[in-house]
Amino acid sequence: MEYTLGIDIGTSFSSMAVIEKGLPRILRNSEGKRSTPSVIYFDKDRIIVGDEALELWILGEDKI
């Protein structure tokens, strides 16, 4: 089966959708949400995206 994938990379949130049977269906992320914060956190050991990266940014590097 072929799909068309649409990606909305926003400045605050991003989302993806596919067309199924002529209708768009927004895909859910691993937390079950239809949008993901457009935030990437990385240091020398890891890369984290989405909600967890946003939480780390809000906490500030000095509080991790």
Side-chain angles (χ1 to χ4, degrees), residues 36-50:
T36 300
S38 299
V39 179
I40 301 172
Y41 174 89
F42 55 93
D43 59 23
K44 64 180 182 166
D45 300 318
R46 58 193 174 157
I47 298 173
I48 301 170
V49 298

Side-chain angles (χ1 to χ4, degrees), residues 6-60:
I7 303 172
D8 174 15
I9 301 174
T11 56
S12 297
F13 290 89
S14 298
S15 60
M16 296 188 304
V18 294
I19 302 295
E20 288 184 330
K21 299 178 184 176
L23 298 172
R25 179 174 66 91
I26 298 175
L27 302 176
R28 296 183 182 273
N29 64 22
S30 60
E31 288 86 29
K33 298 177 182 176
R34 294 164 49 114
S35 63
T36 300
S38 299
V39 179
I40 301 172
Y41 174 89
F42 55 93
D43 59 23
K44 64 180 182 166
D45 300 318
R46 58 193 174 157
I47 298 173
I48 301 170
V49 298
D51 289 310
E52 187 177 354
L54 180 59
E55 290 175 24
L56 290 171
W57 177 74
I58 290 170
L59 287 174

